[in-house]
Amino acid sequence: MIQVWDYVQDHPDSALVSLNVIDESSLHGRTLAEYRLLKAMALDKSYVNVSSDSLARPAYEFFKKRGPKEKELMSLYYLAVSNYYAHNDAQAIVLLDNTIELAKQTGSHYYAGLAYILKSHAFSRTFSLSEAVTSAELGVMSFEAIPDSFQVNRAKIRLADAYHSKKEYDKAAYLYLNLSKECQKDTFAMRRILIHGAYNMYLLTPLQPDSAMVFYERALRDYSAVLDPVEAAHFAEVTGMAGDIQQAHQIAGQLKLLNMHPEQLAYLDYRLFERENNPEEALNAVDRYLDLQDSILSV
């Protein structure tokens, strides 16, 4: 476990393998608390979304009583992470505020930055878009103070996404364009930048879809990007507006087989039929879209 601390940040998958061979039932006291904290860290950094606080909470309770402050801070952050993935957004925001306060006391710009970025995600999910932007801006500033260019760039992606959600497409496009030049070695980040940036550029200049298509084509060709259903619907919309209606309808047909996000598909149908000057089908699609919005609002 002492060795795992040395590489959990940069090689969390290897750390997870090492931790999984340890018999947790043989551990006690501080050793058990450190094991739980390390595993919570390794899972999160391996992109495993853990909604249970069974690792972070007992670790936090131990380190809060016995220290050190550094590990109390770390375990508090991962406790907030578990609440976020459990969709307990209000509680996650409270825990993140506590994390930020403790990070300031201990001088940890890194964990302050992580907390601000996750807080921005939580605010976006509760449609508090101004707060999401502010938190993302503070996250960028925290990482710039270290400085940590890798985390700065990822924080800027969150900020660009927050601007996009707030419909400040000009600010988002500026960030996406700059990030597309700065993150060449970060494949995960580049996929997000190109896919999210493409649709943002389209919304900023809907009459010029070709610039958005350049970003999409680069994501698919150079970074083997895999689009989720909503991203694929956006791609189909831009493809149709760029003139390839046949491919756009093919994508829409594939998405319908998944039976996911019907409201997004209804909107996509409307845009494509409108592009084809088919007002009757476009009107039917609008009716479907409005019916689905009514059902969403009633939940």
Side-chain angles (χ1 to χ4, degrees):
M1 281 175 51
I2 292 173
Q3 292 176 335
V4 172
W5 280 110
D6 293 334
Y7 59 84
V8 65
Q9 293 281 356
D10 297 325
H11 303 286
D13 50 347
S14 299
L16 202 53
V17 171
S18 298
L19 292 167
N20 284 338
V21 300
I22 296 174
D23 180 8
E24 183 178 351
S25 65
S26 67
L27 306 178
H28 304 282
R30 183 173 298 275
T31 306
L32 178 57
E34 293 207 359
Y35 170 83
R36 286 168 168 163
L37 173 55
L38 277 168
K39 194 161 188 180
M41 292 176 63
L43 286 166
D44 183 64
K45 292 182 179 299
S46 297
Y47 305 107
V48 178
N49 300 341
V50 178
S51 59
S52 169
D53 63 2
S54 60
L55 291 169
R57 182 171 293 283
Y60 170 64
E61 290 172 350
F62 180 91
F63 291 120
K64 184 179 181 181
K65 290 180 180 178
R66 305 191 183 187
K69 284 288 185 182
E70 178 189 9
K71 289 175 183 175
E72 177 188 347
L73 169 63
M74 296 162 72
S75 54
L76 177 57
Y77 170 73
Y78 288 106
L79 179 58
V81 169
S82 66
N83 275 266
Y84 172 78
Y85 285 127
H87 291 268
N88 298 326
D89 294 315
Q91 180 63 17
I93 290 169
V94 170
L95 291 168
L96 290 166
D97 282 336
N98 294 339
T99 301
I100 291 163
E101 184 59 34
L102 188 55
K104 289 178 180 178
Q105 292 174 19
T106 57
S108 175
H109 293 292
Y110 178 79
Y111 274 94
L114 290 181
Y116 278 125
I117 295 306
L118 188 59
K119 189 178 172 184
S120 177
H121 281 288
F123 274 133
S124 285
R125 206 156 63 181
T126 60
F127 302 102
S128 304
L129 301 182
S130 294
E131 290 86 347
V133 168
T134 299
S135 293
E137 289 172 339
L138 290 168
V140 172
M141 291 170 60
S142 295
F143 288 125
E144 285 178 337
I146 301 177
D148 184 334
S149 60
F150 177 82
Q151 293 293 349
V152 167
N153 285 336
R154 293 207 169 190
K156 285 181 178 179
I157 295 172
R158 167 84 288 263
L159 178 56
D161 288 348
Y163 281 141
H164 174 88
S165 296
K166 203 179 173 190
K167 298 185 179 180
E168 295 183 357
Y169 301 132
D170 53 340
K171 293 180 181 179
Y174 175 80
L175 279 175
Y176 287 129
L177 282 168
N178 283 314
L179 285 165
S180 70
K181 302 169 186 175
E182 296 171 4
C183 298
Q184 301 293 332
K185 296 180 181 179
D186 187 351
T187 301
F188 176 84
M190 279 301 297
R191 287 171 177 164
R192 285 183 60 85
I193 291 162
L194 294 171
I195 293 167
H196 291 214
Y199 195 58
N200 180 85
M201 288 180 180
Y202 166 69
L203 293 174
L204 180 64
T205 56
L207 299 181
Q208 300 173 3
D210 290 346
S211 59
M213 285 301 297
V214 169
F215 260 42
Y216 275 126
E217 289 166 358
R218 186 178 166 199
L220 296 169
R221 181 187 66 243
D222 297 343
Y223 292 92
S224 304
V226 177
L227 308 183
D228 68 28
V230 171
E231 292 167 350
H234 291 164
F235 175 53
E237 180 186 348
V238 178
T239 300
M241 298 308 107
D244 195 341
I245 297 290
Q246 182 178 358
Q247 183 183 4
H249 278 302
Q250 287 175 349
I251 297 168
Q254 293 168 354
L255 289 172
K256 286 170 186 174
L257 294 176
L258 297 175
N259 197 29
M260 296 174 66
H261 305 287
E263 74 288 349
Q264 186 74 48
L265 288 172
Y267 178 78
L268 173 58
D269 281 341
Y270 155 68
R271 295 290 287 140
L272 294 179
F273 287 127
E274 182 187 48
R275 180 73 166 76
E276 292 178 299
N277 295 317
N278 188 337
E280 183 176 350
E281 289 296 337
L283 185 58
N284 289 336
V286 168
D287 287 339
R288 291 198 307 276
Y289 177 74
L290 293 176
D291 287 343
L292 289 163
Q293 293 302 306
D294 287 341
S295 64
I296 290 169
L297 292 172
S298 67
V299 171

Coordinates of all heavy atoms in Angstrom, one line a residue, residues 175-252:
L175 N -12.9 28.9 -26.4 CA -12.2 27.9 -25.6 C -12.0 26.6 -26.4 O -10.9 26.1 -26.4 CB -12.9 27.6 -24.3 CG -12.8 28.6 -23.2 CD1 -13.7 28.3 -22.0 CD2 -11.3 28.6 -22.7
Y176 N -13.0 26.1 -27.0 CA -12.9 24.9 -27.8 C -11.8 25.0 -28.9 O -11.0 24.1 -29.1 CB -14.2 24.5 -28.4 CG -15.3 24.0 -27.5 CD1 -16.5 24.5 -27.5 CD2 -15.0 22.9 -26.6 CE1 -17.5 24.0 -26.7 CE2 -16.0 22.4 -25.8 CZ -17.2 23.0 -25.8 OH -18.2 22.5 -24.9
L177 N -11.8 26.1 -29.6 CA -10.8 26.3 -30.6 C -9.4 26.3 -30.1 O -8.5 25.7 -30.6 CB -11.1 27.6 -31.4 CG -12.2 27.6 -32.4 CD1 -12.6 29.0 -32.8 CD2 -11.9 26.7 -33.6
N178 N -9.1 27.0 -29.0 CA -7.8 27.0 -28.4 C -7.4 25.7 -27.8 O -6.3 25.3 -27.9 CB -7.8 28.1 -27.3 CG -7.7 29.5 -27.9 OD1 -6.9 29.8 -28.7 ND2 -8.5 30.4 -27.4
L179 N -8.4 25.0 -27.2 CA -8.1 23.7 -26.6 C -7.7 22.7 -27.7 O -6.9 21.8 -27.5 CB -9.3 23.2 -25.8 CG -9.4 23.9 -24.4 CD1 -10.8 23.6 -23.9 CD2 -8.4 23.4 -23.4
S180 N -8.4 22.8 -28.9 CA -8.1 21.9 -30.0 C -6.6 21.9 -30.4 O -6.1 21.0 -31.1 CB -9.0 22.1 -31.1 OG -8.7 23.3 -31.8
K181 N -6.0 23.0 -30.1 CA -4.5 23.2 -30.4 C -3.6 22.8 -29.3 O -2.4 22.6 -29.5 CB -4.3 24.7 -30.8 CG -5.1 25.2 -32.0 CD -5.0 26.7 -32.1 CE -6.0 27.2 -33.2 NZ -5.9 28.7 -33.3
E182 N -4.1 22.8 -28.1 CA -3.3 22.6 -26.9 C -3.3 21.2 -26.3 O -2.4 20.8 -25.5 CB -3.7 23.6 -25.8 CG -3.6 25.0 -26.2 CD -4.2 26.0 -25.1 OE1 -4.7 25.5 -24.1 OE2 -4.2 27.2 -25.4
C183 N -4.3 20.4 -26.7 CA -4.5 19.1 -26.0 C -4.1 17.9 -26.9 O -4.7 16.8 -26.8 CB -5.9 18.9 -25.5 SG -6.3 20.1 -24.3
Q184 N -3.2 18.0 -27.8 CA -2.9 17.0 -28.8 C -2.5 15.7 -28.2 O -2.9 14.6 -28.8 CB -1.7 17.5 -29.7 CG -2.0 18.8 -30.4 CD -3.1 18.7 -31.4 OE1 -3.4 17.6 -32.0 NE2 -3.8 19.8 -31.7
K185 N -1.9 15.7 -27.0 CA -1.4 14.4 -26.5 C -2.5 13.8 -25.5 O -2.3 12.7 -25.0 CB -0.1 14.6 -25.7 CG 1.0 15.0 -26.6 CD 2.3 15.2 -25.8 CE 3.5 15.7 -26.7 NZ 4.7 15.9 -25.9
D186 N -3.5 14.5 -25.3 CA -4.6 14.0 -24.3 C -5.8 13.6 -25.2 O -6.7 14.3 -25.4 CB -5.0 15.1 -23.4 CG -5.9 14.7 -22.3 OD1 -6.4 13.5 -22.4 OD2 -6.2 15.5 -21.4
T187 N -5.8 12.3 -25.6 CA -6.8 11.7 -26.5 C -8.2 11.9 -25.9 O -9.1 12.2 -26.6 CB -6.5 10.3 -26.8 OG1 -5.2 10.2 -27.4 CG2 -7.5 9.7 -27.8
F188 N -8.3 11.5 -24.6 CA -9.6 11.6 -24.0 C -10.2 13.0 -24.0 O -11.3 13.3 -24.4 CB -9.5 11.2 -22.5 CG -10.8 11.3 -21.7 CD1 -11.8 10.3 -21.8 CD2 -11.1 12.4 -21.0 CE1 -13.0 10.4 -21.1 CE2 -12.2 12.6 -20.2 CZ -13.2 11.6 -20.3
A189 N -9.3 14.0 -23.7 CA -9.8 15.4 -23.8 C -10.1 15.8 -25.2 O -11.1 16.5 -25.4 CB -8.7 16.3 -23.2
M190 N -9.3 15.4 -26.2 CA -9.5 15.8 -27.5 C -10.8 15.3 -28.1 O -11.5 16.0 -28.9 CB -8.3 15.4 -28.4 CG -7.1 16.3 -28.4 SD -7.5 18.0 -28.8 CE -7.9 17.8 -30.6
R191 N -11.2 14.1 -27.7 CA -12.5 13.6 -28.2 C -13.6 14.5 -27.7 O -14.5 14.9 -28.5 CB -12.7 12.2 -27.6 CG -11.9 11.1 -28.3 CD -12.0 9.8 -27.6 NE -11.2 8.8 -28.3 CZ -10.9 7.6 -27.7 NH1 -11.2 7.4 -26.4 NH2 -10.2 6.7 -28.4
R192 N -13.6 14.9 -26.4 CA -14.6 15.8 -25.9 C -14.6 17.1 -26.5 O -15.6 17.7 -26.9 CB -14.4 15.9 -24.4 CG -14.9 14.7 -23.6 CD -14.7 14.9 -22.1 NE -15.5 16.1 -21.6 CZ -16.8 16.0 -21.3 NH1 -17.4 14.8 -21.4 NH2 -17.5 17.0 -20.9
I193 N -13.4 17.7 -26.7 CA -13.2 19.0 -27.3 C -13.8 19.1 -28.7 O -14.6 20.0 -29.0 CB -11.8 19.4 -27.3 CG1 -11.2 19.7 -25.9 CG2 -11.6 20.7 -28.1 CD1 -9.7 19.7 -25.8
L194 N -13.5 18.1 -29.5 CA -13.9 18.1 -30.9 C -15.4 17.8 -31.0 O -16.1 18.5 -31.8 CB -13.1 17.1 -31.7 CG -11.6 17.4 -31.8 CD1 -10.9 16.2 -32.4 CD2 -11.4 18.6 -32.7
I195 N -15.9 16.9 -30.2 CA -17.4 16.5 -30.3 C -18.2 17.7 -29.7 O -19.2 18.1 -30.4 CB -17.7 15.2 -29.6 CG1 -17.0 14.1 -30.4 CG2 -19.2 14.9 -29.5 CD1 -16.9 12.8 -29.6
H196 N -17.9 18.1 -28.5 CA -18.7 19.2 -27.9 C -18.5 20.5 -28.7 O -19.4 21.3 -28.8 CB -18.3 19.4 -26.5 CG -18.7 18.2 -25.6 ND1 -19.1 18.4 -24.3 CD2 -18.8 16.9 -25.8 CE1 -19.4 17.2 -23.8 NE2 -19.2 16.3 -24.7
G197 N -17.2 20.7 -29.1 CA -17.0 22.0 -29.8 C -17.7 22.0 -31.2 O -18.1 23.1 -31.6
A198 N -17.8 20.9 -31.8 CA -18.5 20.8 -33.1 C -19.9 21.3 -33.0 O -20.3 22.2 -33.8 CB -18.4 19.4 -33.7
Y199 N -20.7 20.8 -32.1 CA -22.1 21.2 -32.0 C -22.2 22.6 -31.5 O -23.1 23.4 -31.9 CB -22.8 20.3 -31.1 CG -24.3 20.4 -31.2 CD1 -25.0 20.2 -32.4 CD2 -25.1 20.8 -30.1 CE1 -26.3 20.3 -32.6 CE2 -26.5 20.9 -30.3 CZ -27.1 20.7 -31.5 OH -28.5 20.8 -31.6
N200 N -21.3 23.1 -30.7 CA -21.3 24.5 -30.2 C -21.0 25.4 -31.4 O -21.7 26.4 -31.5 CB -20.2 24.7 -29.2 CG -20.2 26.1 -28.7 OD1 -20.9 26.5 -27.8 ND2 -19.3 26.9 -29.3
M201 N -20.1 25.1 -32.3 CA -19.8 25.9 -33.4 C -21.0 25.9 -34.4 O -21.3 27.0 -34.9 CB -18.6 25.4 -34.2 CG -17.3 25.6 -33.5 SD -15.9 24.9 -34.4 CE -14.6 25.4 -33.3
Y202 N -21.7 24.8 -34.5 CA -22.9 24.8 -35.3 C -24.0 25.7 -34.7 O -24.6 26.5 -35.5 CB -23.4 23.4 -35.4 CG -24.8 23.3 -36.0 CD1 -25.1 23.5 -37.3 CD2 -25.9 22.9 -35.1 CE1 -26.4 23.5 -37.8 CE2 -27.2 22.8 -35.6 CZ -27.4 23.1 -36.9 OH -28.7 23.1 -37.4
L203 N -24.2 25.7 -33.4 CA -25.2 26.5 -32.8 C -24.8 28.0 -32.9 O -25.6 28.9 -33.0 CB -25.4 26.1 -31.3 CG -26.1 24.8 -31.1 CD1 -26.1 24.4 -29.7 CD2 -27.5 24.7 -31.7
L204 N -23.5 28.3 -32.9 CA -23.0 29.7 -33.0 C -23.2 30.2 -34.4 O -23.6 31.3 -34.6 CB -21.5 29.7 -32.6 CG -20.8 31.1 -32.7 CD1 -21.5 32.0 -31.6 CD2 -19.4 31.0 -32.4
T205 N -22.9 29.3 -35.4 CA -23.1 29.7 -36.8 C -23.9 28.7 -37.6 O -23.3 27.9 -38.4 CB -21.7 29.9 -37.5 OG1 -21.0 28.7 -37.3 CG2 -21.0 31.1 -36.8
P206 N -25.2 28.6 -37.3 CA -26.0 27.5 -37.9 C -26.1 27.5 -39.4 O -26.3 26.5 -40.1 CB -27.4 27.7 -37.3 CG -27.4 29.1 -36.9 CD -26.0 29.4 -36.5
L207 N -25.8 28.6 -40.0 CA -25.8 28.7 -41.5 C -24.5 28.3 -42.1 O -24.3 28.3 -43.3 CB -26.2 30.1 -42.0 CG -27.6 30.6 -41.5 CD1 -27.8 32.0 -42.0 CD2 -28.6 29.7 -42.0
Q208 N -23.5 28.0 -41.3 CA -22.2 27.5 -41.7 C -21.8 26.2 -41.1 O -20.8 26.1 -40.3 CB -21.1 28.6 -41.4 CG -21.4 29.9 -42.1 CD -20.5 31.0 -41.7 OE1 -19.5 30.8 -40.9 NE2 -20.7 32.2 -42.1
P209 N -22.5 25.1 -41.4 CA -22.3 23.8 -40.7 C -20.9 23.2 -41.1 O -20.5 22.3 -40.4 CB -23.5 23.0 -41.1 CG -23.9 23.6 -42.4 CD -23.6 25.0 -42.3
D210 N -20.3 23.6 -42.1 CA -19.1 23.0 -42.6 C -18.0 23.1 -41.5 O -17.2 22.1 -41.4 CB -18.6 23.6 -43.9 CG -19.5 23.2 -45.1 OD1 -20.3 22.3 -44.9 OD2 -19.4 23.8 -46.1
S211 N -17.9 24.2 -40.8 CA -16.8 24.3 -39.8 C -17.1 23.3 -38.7 O -16.1 22.8 -38.1 CB -16.8 25.7 -39.2 OG -18.1 26.1 -38.6
A212 N -18.3 23.1 -38.3 CA -18.6 22.0 -37.3 C -18.3 20.7 -37.8 O -17.7 19.8 -37.1 CB -20.1 22.1 -36.9
M213 N -18.5 20.4 -39.1 CA -18.2 19.1 -39.7 C -16.7 18.8 -39.7 O -16.3 17.6 -39.5 CB -18.8 19.0 -41.1 CG -20.3 18.9 -41.2 SD -20.9 17.4 -40.4 CE -20.1 16.1 -41.3
V214 N -15.9 19.8 -39.8 CA -14.5 19.6 -39.7 C -14.1 19.0 -38.4 O -13.3 18.1 -38.3 CB -13.7 20.9 -40.0 CG1 -12.2 20.8 -39.7 CG2 -13.9 21.4 -41.5
F215 N -14.7 19.6 -37.3 CA -14.4 19.1 -36.0 C -14.9 17.6 -35.8 O -14.2 16.8 -35.2 CB -15.0 20.0 -34.9 CG -14.1 21.0 -34.3 CD1 -13.2 21.6 -35.1 CD2 -14.2 21.3 -32.9 CE1 -12.3 22.6 -34.5 CE2 -13.3 22.2 -32.4 CZ -12.4 22.8 -33.1
Y216 N -16.1 17.4 -36.3 CA -16.6 16.0 -36.2 C -15.8 15.0 -36.9 O -15.4 13.9 -36.4 CB -18.1 16.0 -36.8 CG -19.2 16.3 -35.8 CD1 -20.1 17.3 -36.1 CD2 -19.3 15.7 -34.6 CE1 -21.1 17.7 -35.2 CE2 -20.3 16.0 -33.7 CZ -21.2 17.0 -34.0 OH -22.2 17.4 -33.1
E217 N -15.4 15.4 -38.2 CA -14.6 14.4 -39.0 C -13.2 14.2 -38.3 O -12.7 13.0 -38.4 CB -14.4 15.0 -40.4 CG -15.7 15.0 -41.2 CD -15.7 15.9 -42.4 OE1 -14.6 16.5 -42.7 OE2 -16.7 15.9 -43.2
R218 N -12.7 15.2 -37.7 CA -11.4 15.0 -37.1 C -11.5 14.1 -35.9 O -10.7 13.2 -35.6 CB -10.8 16.4 -36.6 CG -9.4 16.3 -36.1 CD -8.9 17.7 -35.7 NE -7.7 17.6 -34.9 CZ -7.3 18.6 -34.2 NH1 -7.9 19.8 -34.2 NH2 -6.2 18.5 -33.4
A219 N -12.6 14.3 -35.1 CA -12.8 13.4 -33.9 C -13.0 12.0 -34.3 O -12.4 11.1 -33.7 CB -14.1 13.9 -33.2
L220 N -13.8 11.7 -35.4 CA -14.0 10.3 -35.8 C -12.8 9.7 -36.5 O -12.5 8.5 -36.3 CB -15.2 10.3 -36.8 CG -16.6 10.8 -36.1 CD1 -17.6 11.0 -37.2 CD2 -17.0 9.8 -35.1
R221 N -12.1 10.5 -37.3 CA -10.9 10.0 -38.0 C -9.7 9.9 -37.2 O -9.0 8.8 -37.2 CB -10.7 10.9 -39.2 CG -9.5 10.5 -40.1 CD -9.2 11.5 -41.2 NE -8.7 12.7 -40.6 CZ -9.3 13.9 -40.7 NH1 -10.4 14.0 -41.3 NH2 -8.7 15.0 -40.1
D222 N -9.3 10.9 -36.5 CA -8.0 11.0 -35.8 C -8.1 10.4 -34.4 O -7.0 10.0 -33.8 CB -7.5 12.4 -35.8 CG -7.2 12.9 -37.2 OD1 -7.1 12.1 -38.1 OD2 -7.1 14.1 -37.3
Y223 N -9.3 10.5 -33.7 CA -9.3 10.1 -32.3 C -10.3 9.0 -32.0 O -10.6 8.7 -30.9 CB -9.7 11.3 -31.5 CG -8.5 12.3 -31.5 CD1 -8.5 13.4 -32.4 CD2 -7.5 12.3 -30.6 CE1 -7.5 14.3 -32.5 CE2 -6.4 13.2 -30.6 CZ -6.4 14.2 -31.6 OH -5.4 15.0 -31.6
S224 N -10.8 8.3 -33.1 CA -11.7 7.1 -32.9 C -12.8 7.4 -31.9 O -13.1 6.6 -31.1 CB -10.8 5.9 -32.5 OG -9.8 5.7 -33.4
A225 N -13.4 8.6 -32.0 CA -14.4 9.0 -31.1 C -15.6 8.1 -31.2 O -16.0 7.7 -32.3 CB -14.8 10.4 -31.3
V226 N -16.2 7.7 -30.1 CA -17.5 7.0 -30.1 C -18.5 8.0 -29.5 O -18.4 8.5 -28.4 CB -17.4 5.8 -29.2 CG1 -18.7 5.0 -29.1 CG2 -16.3 4.8 -29.7
L227 N -19.6 8.2 -30.3 CA -20.6 9.1 -29.9 C -21.7 8.5 -29.1 O -22.2 7.4 -29.5 CB -21.2 9.8 -31.2 CG -20.3 10.4 -32.2 CD1 -21.1 11.0 -33.3 CD2 -19.4 11.4 -31.5
D228 N -22.1 9.1 -28.0 CA -23.3 8.6 -27.3 C -24.6 9.0 -28.1 O -24.5 9.8 -29.0 CB -23.3 9.1 -25.8 CG -23.5 10.6 -25.7 OD1 -24.2 11.2 -26.6 OD2 -23.1 11.2 -24.7
P229 N -25.7 8.5 -27.7 CA -26.9 8.8 -28.5 C -27.2 10.2 -28.7 O -27.6 10.6 -29.8 CB -28.1 8.1 -27.7 CG -27.4 6.9 -27.0 CD -26.0 7.5 -26.6
V230 N -27.1 11.1 -27.7 CA -27.4 12.5 -27.9 C -26.3 13.1 -28.8 O -26.7 13.9 -29.7 CB -27.4 13.2 -26.5 CG1 -27.5 14.7 -26.7 CG2 -28.6 12.7 -25.7
E231 N -25.1 12.8 -28.6 CA -24.0 13.3 -29.5 C -24.2 12.9 -30.9 O -24.0 13.6 -31.9 CB -22.6 12.9 -29.0 CG -22.2 13.5 -27.7 CD -21.0 12.8 -27.0 OE1 -20.6 11.8 -27.5 OE2 -20.5 13.4 -26.0
A232 N -24.7 11.6 -31.1 CA -25.0 11.1 -32.5 C -26.1 11.9 -33.1 O -26.1 12.1 -34.3 CB -25.3 9.6 -32.4
A233 N -27.1 12.2 -32.3 CA -28.3 13.0 -32.8 C -27.8 14.4 -33.3 O -28.2 14.9 -34.3 CB -29.4 13.1 -31.8
H234 N -26.9 15.0 -32.5 CA -26.4 16.3 -32.8 C -25.6 16.1 -34.1 O -25.7 17.0 -35.0 CB -25.5 16.8 -31.7 CG -26.2 17.2 -30.5 ND1 -25.5 17.4 -29.3 CD2 -27.5 17.4 -30.3 CE1 -26.4 17.7 -28.4 NE2 -27.6 17.7 -28.9
F235 N -24.8 15.1 -34.2 CA -24.0 14.9 -35.5 C -24.9 14.7 -36.7 O -24.6 15.2 -37.7 CB -23.1 13.6 -35.3 CG -22.3 13.2 -36.5 CD1 -21.5 14.1 -37.1 CD2 -22.4 11.9 -36.9 CE1 -20.8 13.7 -38.3 CE2 -21.7 11.5 -38.1 CZ -20.9 12.4 -38.7
A236 N -26.0 13.9 -36.5 CA -26.9 13.7 -37.6 C -27.5 15.1 -38.0 O -27.7 15.3 -39.2 CB -28.0 12.7 -37.2
E237 N -27.9 15.9 -37.1 CA -28.5 17.2 -37.4 C -27.5 18.0 -38.2 O -27.9 18.6 -39.2 CB -28.8 17.9 -36.1 CG -29.5 19.3 -36.3 CD -29.7 20.1 -35.0 OE1 -29.6 19.4 -33.9 OE2 -30.0 21.3 -35.1
V238 N -26.2 18.1 -37.7 CA -25.2 18.9 -38.5 C -25.0 18.3 -39.8 O -24.9 19.1 -40.8 CB -23.9 19.0 -37.6 CG1 -22.9 19.8 -38.4 CG2 -24.2 19.7 -36.3
T239 N -24.9 17.0 -39.9 CA -24.7 16.3 -41.2 C -25.8 16.7 -42.2 O -25.6 17.0 -43.4 CB -24.6 14.8 -41.0 OG1 -23.6 14.5 -40.1 CG2 -24.4 14.1 -42.3
G240 N -27.1 16.7 -41.7 CA -28.2 17.0 -42.5 C -28.1 18.5 -43.0 O -28.4 18.8 -44.2
M241 N -27.8 19.4 -42.1 CA -27.7 20.8 -42.4 C -26.6 21.1 -43.4 O -26.6 22.0 -44.1 CB -27.6 21.6 -41.1 CG -28.7 21.5 -40.2 SD -30.4 21.8 -40.9 CE -31.0 20.1 -40.9
A242 N -25.6 20.2 -43.3 CA -24.4 20.4 -44.3 C -24.8 19.8 -45.6 O -24.0 19.9 -46.6 CB -23.2 19.7 -43.7
G243 N -25.9 19.1 -45.8 CA -26.4 18.6 -47.1 C -26.5 17.2 -47.3 O -27.0 16.7 -48.3
D244 N -25.9 16.3 -46.3 CA -26.0 14.9 -46.5 C -27.2 14.4 -45.8 O -27.1 13.7 -44.7 CB -24.7 14.3 -46.0 CG -24.5 12.8 -46.5 OD1 -25.6 12.2 -46.9 OD2 -23.4 12.3 -46.4
I245 N -28.4 14.6 -46.3 CA -29.6 14.2 -45.7 C -29.7 12.7 -45.6 O -30.2 12.1 -44.5 CB -30.8 14.7 -46.5 CG1 -30.8 16.2 -46.5 CG2 -32.1 14.2 -45.9 CD1 -31.2 16.9 -45.2
Q246 N -29.3 11.9 -46.6 CA -29.3 10.5 -46.5 C -28.6 9.9 -45.3 O -29.1 9.1 -44.6 CB -28.8 9.9 -47.8 CG -28.9 8.4 -47.9 CD -28.4 7.8 -49.2 OE1 -28.0 8.5 -50.1 NE2 -28.5 6.5 -49.3
Q247 N -27.4 10.3 -45.1 CA -26.6 9.9 -44.0 C -27.3 10.3 -42.7 O -27.3 9.5 -41.7 CB -25.2 10.4 -44.0 CG -24.3 9.8 -42.9 CD -22.9 10.4 -42.8 OE1 -22.6 11.3 -43.6 NE2 -22.1 10.0 -41.9
A248 N -27.8 11.5 -42.6 CA -28.5 11.9 -41.4 C -29.7 11.0 -41.1 O -29.9 10.7 -39.9 CB -28.9 13.4 -41.6
H249 N -30.5 10.7 -42.1 CA -31.6 9.8 -41.8 C -31.1 8.4 -41.4 O -31.8 7.7 -40.6 CB -32.5 9.7 -43.0 CG -33.5 10.8 -43.2 ND1 -34.4 11.1 -42.2 CD2 -33.6 11.7 -44.2 CE1 -35.1 12.2 -42.6 NE2 -34.7 12.6 -43.8
Q250 N -30.0 7.9 -41.9 CA -29.5 6.6 -41.5 C -29.1 6.6 -40.1 O -29.4 5.7 -39.3 CB -28.3 6.3 -42.4 CG -28.6 5.9 -43.8 CD -27.4 5.7 -44.7 OE1 -26.2 6.0 -44.3 NE2 -27.6 5.1 -45.9
I251 N -28.4 7.7 -39.6 CA -28.1 7.8 -38.2 C -29.3 7.8 -37.4 O -29.4 7.2 -36.3 CB -27.2 9.1 -38.0 CG1 -25.9 9.0 -38.8 CG2 -26.9 9.2 -36.5 CD1 -25.1 10.3 -38.8
A252 N -30.3 8.6 -37.8 CA -31.6 8.7 -37.0 C -32.2 7.3 -36.9 O -32.7 7.0 -35.9 CB -32.5 9.7 -37.7

